[in-house]
Amino acid sequence: MDKHSSRYAVGLMSGTSVDGIDAAVVSITDNPDGTMSVQLIAFENTPYPAGVRQDIFNLFDPAQATVDKIGSMNVLLGELYAEAASSVIAAAGLASAEIAVIGSHGQTIYHAPESEKLHGYDIHYTVQIGEGSVIAARTGIPCVSDFRPADMAVGGQGAPLVPFTEYLLYREAHRTLLLQNIGGIGNMTVIPAGCSQEQVYAFDTGPGNMIIDGVVERLYPGPLTMDIGGAIARSGNVHEELLGLLQQEPYYAQPLPKSTGREHFGSSYIDWLLDQAKLRGIRAEDVVATVTRLTAWSIGDAYRRYVREQDPADVLLVGGGGSYNPVLIGFLRQEMEPYGVKVMTQEEVGHSSDAKEAVAFALLADYAMKRQPNNLPNVTGAARPIIMGKISY
Ligand SMILES: Nc1ncnc2c1ncn2[C@@H]1O[C@H](COP(=O)(O)OP(=O)(O)OP(=O)(O)O)[C@@H](O)[C@H]1O
Ligand SMILES: CC(=O)N[C@H]1[C@@H]2OC[C@@H](O2)[C@@H](O)[C@@H]1O[C@H](C)C(=O)O
């Protein structure tokens, strides 16, 4: 490979649904016209061992997340991420020495973008664990990790970060695109036709699969952690009264920029929701159908509220695990197509829903190594561009 214009990078992502580690190897080429080309060479998803997943969930509860538990999980995740990186590098048929950098998102265990006062100071914070020093030591490859705090340090929400790379990879001259990720949380990036980097905007629409997964785990005790293929939702009916109640959640109407997480739509929200369902005597499959509809509605509502007027879109491209739930996608079509927005999945346009975020962190790391800013202030609300990521050599 030509060392000056092309290099290999690894991206590691483990998202809010805590389903495992996504690892991608990409080749990045700088084109003479200033654009860059990115090619996916290999991708692997390694589920977290069951006990590890549960231990991570325990860390979402501040009462259980003691410093020893956070400290040890930080190192354990560093080990698991290093193994995932080594495995995907081997799958790509490459040697460690050929990889320029690993970009690792880490595991978010807490996200508090709104200001809190502490001893008179305005504090915004976010916690992603998975020690970059361990990843670098095990693989022998420089690792960029812990991206979000830099953006927060200049007043941003520290999220979402992927839109920076979506602008680089997806922008089109003549079509306005909405990139909708449906992971644990749902997030939308708006890329207006022929836009500049400054004209991209993005925000979290609300829950992605988080509520669906949460109610399935509670209502169907056993190994099920998701509504596979939307099978449960398909067998149920939307309960309009419950839907109406859930739509009143204030996050949906909160102005931009905004981001959210498990602090908002996690286990206490699920407790409340299931109490409301019980009060009304709603059957389990109808609860799942209703929250699936709610998730699609929250995306349609966000489009109508924040985007439609100034940036009427041509296409909504869905990525993330939600694209494997046809009932959710069907509801999404009902939300978007009356407004002339075609709903397609990443796969339908030749990309990978699964690999997209891991690819993004490979690219963000590449920028950090080049000492070039990699946040989008317009998206995160940061006061200025900044280089995100901490480098472990
Ligand atoms: N076959 C499937 N059928 C239904 N749902 C699925 C399927 N596969 C994945 N999902 C859903 O996708 C979720 C995982 O999505 P993804 O891996 O994109 O999330 P994440 O990256 O952890 O989250 P985030 O992007 O919010 O950080 C699962 O928890 C599940 O709800
Ligand atoms: C704090 C945090 O981990 N946020 C995630 C989460 O999952 C989806 C959405 O909420 C997005 O804001 C973000 O992740 C992606 C990778 C991002 O920053 O673009």
Side-chain angles (χ1 to χ4, degrees):
M1 222 179 217
D2 172 358
K3 276 213 167 71
H4 300 291
S5 64
S6 291
R7 59 255 170 223
Y8 292 113
V10 169
L12 301 173
M13 176 70 200
S14 34
T16 48
S17 49
V18 202
D19 51 348
I21 307 164
D22 293 333
V25 178
V26 296
S27 85
I28 302 172
T29 305
D30 297 322
N31 300 320
D33 65 358
T35 62
M36 66 203 302
S37 306
V38 177
Q39 200 193 341
L40 180 64
I41 309 287
F43 173 75
E44 288 184 340
N45 172 275
T46 315
Y48 279 130
V52 173
R53 184 167 196 262
Q54 187 52 54
D55 286 351
I56 293 170
F57 267 90
N58 294 343
L59 297 180
F60 297 147
D61 171 10
Q64 294 191 57
T66 50
V67 283
D68 53 337
K69 296 213 175 78
I70 296 172
S72 56
M73 184 57 76
N74 180 44
V75 174
L76 172 64
L77 291 183
E79 299 285 1
L80 297 178
Y81 294 159
E83 287 173 13
S86 299
S87 170
V88 78
I89 292 166
L94 294 169
S96 298
E98 294 176 273
I99 309 292
V101 66
I102 298 174
S104 176
H105 172 267
Q107 181 68 55
T108 296
I109 58 167
Y110 210 82
H111 183 60
E114 301 309 328
S115 178
E116 290 174 18
K117 278 276 182 214
L118 187 62
H119 299 293
Y121 286 79
D122 276 329
I123 306 292
H124 313 252
Y125 65 103
T126 184
V127 185
Q128 281 76 44
I129 58 172
E131 184 51 55
S133 308
V134 173
I135 301 172
R138 297 293 173 269
T139 60
I141 302 166
C143 178
V144 184
S145 60
D146 210 10
F147 289 82
R148 301 187 191 274
D151 181 76
M152 280 194 165
V154 292
Q157 297 254 324
L161 306 187
V162 172
F164 178 83
T165 64
E166 289 172 326
Y167 171 76
L168 293 175
L169 300 179
Y170 290 84
R171 67 181 187 264
E172 289 188 13
H174 303 294
R175 293 197 305 177
T176 293
L177 307 180
L178 307 174
L179 299 185
Q180 178 67 42
N181 182 62
I182 310 182
I185 292 295
N187 50 305
M188 180 185 286
T189 303
V190 184
I191 307 184
C195 70
S196 67
Q197 188 171 290
E198 290 71 32
Q199 289 165 319
V200 175
Y201 54 104
F203 54 93
D204 289 351
T205 47
N209 296 287
M210 192 170 279
I211 305 183
I212 303 172
D213 289 357
V215 300
V216 167
E217 283 194 56
R218 297 282 190 87
L219 295 173
Y220 297 85
L224 213 52
T225 60
M226 62 177 79
D227 181 14
I228 299 169
I232 303 173
R234 189 178 295 110
S235 70
N237 295 310
V238 173
H239 190 282
E240 294 296 336
E241 187 195 332
L242 180 65
L243 179 65
L245 176 73
L246 300 177
Q247 287 169 339
Q248 285 161 33
E249 154 63 45
Y251 180 78
Y252 304 124
Q254 194 178 304
L256 309 188
K258 60 178 179 176
S259 60
T260 188
R262 201 170 279 285
E263 303 70 32
H264 214 104
F265 294 106
S267 62
S268 7
Y269 180 87
I270 302 291
D271 289 342
W272 169 82
L273 189 159
L274 291 179
D275 283 348
Q276 296 300 323
K278 206 168 165 191
L279 275 174
R280 293 169 176 77
I282 305 174
R283 296 182 311 160
E285 60 271 36
D286 295 346
V287 176
V288 178
T290 304
V291 300
T292 305
R293 176 87 229 188
L294 172 79
T295 304
W297 168 85
S298 69
I299 295 167
D301 178 65
Y303 174 65
R304 291 184 289 270
R305 217 186 268 266
Y306 304 113
V307 182
R308 187 179 152 218
E309 212 163 284
Q310 72 274 26
D311 294 306
D314 298 285
V315 179
L316 180 128
L317 261 186
V318 185
S323 55
Y324 304 117
N325 181 336
V327 177
L328 179 57
I329 298 296
F331 284 150
L332 201 46
R333 291 211 157 95
Q334 291 174 20
E335 289 286 335
M336 304 303 291
E337 296 192 344
Y339 298 93
V341 184
K342 192 168 163 44
V343 175
M344 298 177 82
T345 63
Q346 289 284 338
E347 275 68 18
E348 288 175 290
V349 295
H351 287 270
S352 159
S353 289
D354 282 336
K356 186 166 171 282
E357 290 188 340
V359 169
F361 280 90
L363 271 181
L364 291 171
D366 185 63
Y367 270 72
M369 295 305 278
K370 292 187 293 196
R371 299 195 192 195
Q372 289 179 9
N374 50 6
N375 67 333
L376 282 183
N378 193 36
V379 166
T380 62
R384 60 184 167 90
I386 197 159
I387 304 170
M388 302 184 297
K390 299 172 185 169
I391 305 175
S392 306
Y393 286 101

